[in-house]
Amino acid sequence: MNTGPVYYSKYTGISILFIISLLAITIGYQQIYWPWWAVTVPVVIYLLFIAIGSFFICFNFYFTSVCKIKTTEKKIAITFDDGPHQEITPKLLEILKRHELPATFFWTGENISRNKNIVKEANKQDHLIGNHSYSHSPRFDLFSHRKMIAEIEATTKEIERIIQKRPLLFRPPYGVTNPMLAKALQHTGLISIGWSLRSFDTVNSPEKVLKKLKKKTRPGDIILFHDTRENTPGIIEKYAGWLKENGFEVVSLKNLLNIDGYEEI
Ligand SMILES: [Zn+2]
């Protein structure tokens, strides 16, 4: 599949249109009468695009993220963010092993450095490990591209030190994207992975999460969970049973996307 990053595509186009419309309005002000608020129209539209583009990763506004694949085969991939967590991730690994479910973990460098044995175990079980920044700072989106690169590279080094593999996949913290991250990904060459179905396991009750998953799971989905939430292992236990009963196969992201998942070193 084509996972080649396309940087600044929609963002560049919208920005050029915005500048042209501002110029046109400025000229219009000099030639004929325009209502005073005319200039607010392109400004509001532009800001709306920026907001949607930043908060909806699959809008692919600043760069391309893989959010799902088109298929009629009932195969899906499951992903877990924010760990490894000292207690929850091992519980999850046990459930995944018992149900023979391959998963992808997008982990932070900080948690990786504190839980090396869990990283080794996940790798031993053939789960894929991806990069989710080093600190997962709430201010990550305000970082310069240089600081983002430093975070991404520090996490990659941490993973490489433990499992001797360089991750190729990256999930943006909070799923927020911007031009600085586009630059950082261009520099590091990582592939951005979004999601097509968000479990909301961080906020909703297990019953509500499962109800949504059962209703919304579709072929080719990439599903987002967190291995830092107490309820998540129980949710996966029940979801695994439902998937099997309903003929869904959980495959690794590397199979779903037909990529290796790690860089050659
Ligand atoms: Zn996260």
Side-chain angles (χ1 to χ4, degrees):
M1 72 174 296
N2 177 22
T3 50
V6 180
Y7 296 99
Y8 291 99
S9 51
K10 289 181 188 167
Y11 173 56
T12 308
I14 295 292
S15 297
I16 291 169
L17 274 178
F18 176 60
I19 291 165
I20 291 171
S21 62
L22 282 188
L23 285 173
I25 287 171
T26 309
I27 293 165
Y29 274 135
Q30 288 162 359
Q31 302 296 323
I32 48 167
Y33 176 72
W34 286 82
W36 65 267
W37 48 262
V39 72
T40 62
V41 175
V43 171
V44 168
I45 293 172
Y46 186 63
L47 291 178
L48 209 64
F49 267 105
I50 295 287
I52 293 170
S54 302
F55 292 107
F56 293 90
I57 185 167
C58 299
F59 190 48
N60 292 334
F61 191 60
Y62 301 102
F63 52 86
T64 302
S65 298
V66 183
C67 293
K68 73 174 293 167
I69 63 147
K70 268 190 189 160
T71 179
T72 49
E73 286 177 62
K74 288 177 102 175
K75 53 184 187 180
I76 59 158
I78 52 174
T79 65
F80 297 90
D81 286 10
D82 298 353
H85 184 283
Q86 214 181 341
E87 286 147 31
I88 294 163
T89 311
K91 271 189 205 168
L92 209 49
L93 287 174
E94 186 276 319
I95 294 168
L96 294 172
K97 193 177 180 179
R98 191 154 31 81
H99 289 278
E100 296 179 349
L101 305 178
T104 303
F105 291 94
F106 290 100
W107 281 335
T108 68
E110 220 165 68
N111 287 339
I112 287 168
S113 69
R114 284 197 286 253
N115 297 288
K116 294 190 177 72
N117 286 338
I118 299 176
V119 179
K120 278 185 196 160
E121 183 57 29
N123 179 56
K124 209 173 115 192
Q125 291 185 22
D126 213 21
H127 297 301
L128 204 54
I129 296 163
N131 191 320
H132 195 42
S133 84
Y134 196 86
S135 65
H136 208 294
S137 165
R139 297 191 313 279
F140 187 83
D141 310 305
L142 304 174
F143 286 179
S144 67
H145 75 276
R146 280 193 186 85
K147 206 167 170 188
M148 287 180 176
I149 291 169
E151 285 239 355
I152 291 169
E153 286 181 343
T155 304
T156 290
K157 267 195 195 124
E158 204 68 61
I159 295 170
E160 202 181 328
R161 245 200 301 268
I162 301 169
I163 63 168
Q164 289 76 52
K165 294 174 184 171
R166 279 179 77 84
L168 187 63
L169 309 182
F170 177 79
R171 176 166 281 155
Y174 311 101
V176 178
T177 60
N178 63 30
M180 285 80 81
L181 187 56
K183 249 183 173 176
L185 289 180
Q186 196 169 30
H187 179 90
T188 53
L190 297 188
I191 298 169
S192 174
I193 304 292
W195 57 84
S196 52
L197 181 53
R198 186 177 198 160
S199 67
F200 282 106
D201 55 348
T202 51
V203 285
N204 289 339
S205 68
E207 293 72 31
K208 202 169 172 188
V209 170
L210 278 162
K211 197 176 164 192
K212 182 186 173 185
L213 290 172
K214 289 174 185 177
K215 198 174 152 197
K216 303 258 179 175
T217 303
R218 299 282 180 276
D221 268 341
I222 297 173
I223 308 183
L224 167 64
F225 296 95
H226 296 83
D227 59 329
T228 49
R229 298 289 156 162
E230 230 165 273
N231 288 332
T232 304
I235 291 169
I236 294 300
E237 181 80 66
K238 288 188 177 138
Y239 188 42
W242 182 87
L243 286 168
K244 208 175 170 188
E245 278 165 27
N246 288 274
F248 278 99
E249 186 193 358
V250 177
V251 298
S252 173
L253 256 190
K254 54 186 173 187
N255 296 354
L256 194 74
L257 308 182
N258 202 16
I259 53 168
D260 190 32
Y262 294 106
E263 268 182 72
E264 294 282 329
I265 44 173

